[in-house]
Amino acid sequence: MKITAIEAHPLRVELREPFAFSQWTFHQRQTTLVEVRTDQGVTGWGEAYGPALPNASAVRDFFAPMLMGRDPRDTEALWHFLFARSLDYGQKGTMLAAISALDIAFWDIKARAAGVPLYRLLGGAETESIPCYATGFYFGGDEKLETRFAREAEGYLAEGFTAMKMKVGLGVERDAVLVAAVRRAIASSARLMIDANHAYTATEAIALGRMVEPHHIGWFEEPVSPLDIRSYLEVKRRITIPIAGGEAEYTRFGFEPLLRRRAVDYAQPELCACGGISEGMKIATLASIYGVHVTPHAWGSAVGLAAALHFYAALPGPPATLTPPQKLIECDRTENPLRAEIVEAPVRFHGGRLYVPQGMGLGVEVRSAALPRFQ
Ligand SMILES: [Mg+2]
C-alpha cells in the first residue's frame, strides 16, 4: 500500500456567542483535518490541534512531500522518520501537531485495511463506553456567572453527566465563590473538577486549592505554568486535591519529567498534539510505570474525539482492586459545529458515557462535502 495524496483541511467557524477562559476569549473554533489517500482506495483521517493554518502548512508544505509512496501502515517507522526530520526545528507545538494528525490518519488506514476498529490494533477495548465529564463553565456573557453556572450544572446533570469540569482563573476569591455555587447546584450528584489553564503562581494556586478543598474537587488542572515543574510540585505538596496537567506538553520526552517527578496525578495528553496514537501509547506506558492516571484532553472535532476514545479504551486500567476508579474522558460542551457536523454520525453520548465507535478505523466517517463550509 502506498500513500498517493495528503491533503490538509484548515477549518474555522465563527461562534454565535464568544466565550472566555483564563487566557483569552474565543470568537471562533478552528482545527485542521488531514486526509491521507492511498493507491488501494483506503483513506485515513487525522486531526491537528491548535492554530489551523500553521498546522495545515506543516502538513502540506513540509511533511507531505516526503511521505509520497510510503506505506502508511508502517506507523512506528513513519513516526520516527517524521520526528527526525523536524527535530531540529520544533520538538513541541506545530510540528508535533502535524505529526499527530498524520499518525492518526496512518492508524485509521491501518485499521481500515485490517477491517477492524482501531482499538483492536492497540490491544483491544476494556469496555465499549467510557464515563465522561462535561467541560464547560466558561466566562463571558451578561448574566451573573453564579446564576449561569448553577443552571449549566443542572443542565449537565439532566443530560446524565456524573462529572463536570469548570473553569477557574478569575482571581482566587472570585473562583472560590463560583466553585461553591456549582457545588451547591450539584450537591453530591456529580464529581467536580477545576481547570485554571495555568493562570496562577504556586502561591495563588495553593490559596485557591485550600479554599475549595471542602468542595471535594476531583482534580485541579493546570494550576500553574506548564513550564514550571517546581511550582507544580509545590502546589501538589501543599494541597490535598489531585493535580492534572499535560495538555500543553508533547511527546514522551516532554511528559517524562512530569511523570517521573510525580508533578501530576492525572496526565492529559492531547492525541492531536502530543504526537498522535503512537506517541500517546508511549506516554501512557510511562505513566503506568510512575503510577499516574491518564485522561486524554479532547477539545477538537469528532476525529480527534474518536482517536482519544480508541486510545483510551485500549489502555489498561489502574492497578486492580475490587472497586477500581473509573476512567474518565473529556466531553467538551462548548459550541463547536466541527464536533458533529463534519461526520456522518457523531460520537455517541448516552447516560454520561461516550461510546467507542465500532466502525472500521476511527469509526467516524468524515463528510468531505461538509468541509468547504468551514474552510
Ligand atoms: Mg484544560
Side-chain angles (χ1 to χ4, degrees):
M1 182 183 288
K2 286 191 169 73
I3 295 172
T4 53
I6 295 177
E7 254 182 79
H9 304 270
L11 306 177
R12 188 172 68 181
V13 54
E14 297 297 323
L15 296 174
R16 278 177 287 123
E17 284 184 40
F19 60 83
F21 71 129
S22 71
Q23 302 300 314
W24 63 76
T25 300
F26 282 97
H27 294 276
Q28 52 181 231
R29 297 296 294 262
Q30 52 178 294
T31 198
T32 303
L33 293 192
V34 170
E35 178 182 10
V36 177
R37 293 199 291 271
T38 64
D39 61 349
Q40 294 186 18
V42 185
T43 295
W45 290 85
E47 178 172 356
Y49 177 73
L53 288 172
N55 286 346
S57 175
V59 171
R60 184 197 304 123
D61 304 320
F62 187 71
F63 289 119
M66 59 182 88
L67 285 164
M68 292 306 120
R70 299 291 300 257
D71 191 324
R73 296 170 301 180
D74 295 338
T75 46
E76 191 67 16
L78 289 178
W79 196 94
H80 285 90
F81 169 68
L82 297 176
F83 189 58
R85 282 300 186 93
S86 56
L87 183 66
D88 293 23
Y89 317 120
Q91 297 143 18
K92 301 185 182 197
T94 295
M95 287 300 188
L96 262 297
I99 292 176
S100 301
L102 289 163
D103 180 78
I104 292 167
F106 298 158
W107 276 103
D108 189 22
I109 290 171
K110 182 145 91 168
R112 283 173 194 271
V116 295
L118 173 55
Y119 64 78
R120 289 244 184 266
L121 301 189
L122 304 178
E126 282 198 315
T127 53
E128 62 173 19
S129 66
I130 300 174
C132 59
Y133 65 86
T135 290
F137 305 98
Y138 284 76
F139 314 136
D142 300 329
E143 197 177 0
K144 202 173 159 209
L145 282 182
E146 283 89 329
T147 313
R148 177 160 68 74
F149 279 10
R151 193 175 63 242
E152 189 172 338
E154 283 155 14
Y156 294 143
L157 287 182
E159 285 181 88
F161 281 100
T162 56
M164 52 194 82
K165 185 174 83 188
M166 63 182 291
K167 291 295 171 186
V168 292
L170 289 175
V172 170
E173 304 284 333
R174 184 81 182 105
D175 288 344
V177 170
L178 292 171
V179 172
V182 172
R183 179 49 90 192
R184 208 177 308 121
I186 62 178
S188 56
S189 306
R191 295 169 68 183
L192 178 63
M193 288 80 74
I194 61 174
D195 183 0
N197 294 94
H198 51 81
Y200 288 130
T201 63
T203 306
E204 292 162 333
I206 291 162
L208 175 59
R210 289 186 172 173
M211 288 172 90
V212 301
E213 271 170 353
H215 298 300
H216 304 285
I217 303 303
W219 71 59
F220 188 170
E221 180 170 325
E222 289 200 298
V224 294
S225 167
L227 299 172
D228 186 1
I229 199 164
R230 282 173 304 186
S231 286
Y232 261 94
L233 292 167
E234 190 181 343
V235 173
K236 211 167 110 69
R237 247 193 334 270
R238 298 186 48 197
I239 65 175
T240 57
I241 302 169
I243 302 299
E247 68 181 78
E249 196 48 83
Y250 297 80
T251 76
R252 81 200 89 144
F253 306 103
F255 271 88
E256 196 273 342
L258 277 179
L259 302 170
R260 174 171 39 83
R261 300 181 67 184
R262 288 291 307 275
V264 293
D265 301 285
Y266 292 88
Q268 300 175 296
E270 164 58 64
L271 271 285
C272 301
C274 75
I277 300 283
S278 299
E279 198 62 6
M281 296 301 279
K282 295 183 176 70
I283 292 164
T285 300
L286 280 176
S288 74
I289 293 172
Y290 295 112
V292 172
H293 296 283
V294 172
T295 172
H297 178 265
W299 211 71
S301 82
V303 173
L305 180 57
L309 280 165
H310 285 277
F311 158 79
Y312 203 25
L315 292 192
T321 68
L322 187 59
T323 54
Q326 289 188 308
K327 290 177 182 175
L328 193 59
I329 193 167
E330 178 160 33
C331 185
D332 171 24
R333 304 305 284 172
T334 58
E335 179 190 349
N336 187 2
L338 301 173
R339 211 164 36 231
E341 292 176 26
I342 57 156
V343 288
E344 297 291 348
V347 172
R348 183 170 169 242
F349 166 81
H350 179 72
R353 306 175 77 93
L354 284 169
Y355 283 74
V356 186
Q358 293 298 319
M360 286 188 293
L362 288 172
V364 289
E365 304 303 324
V366 175
R367 294 168 55 222
S368 294
L371 299 186
R373 210 188 114 203
F374 302 115
Q375 265 158 357

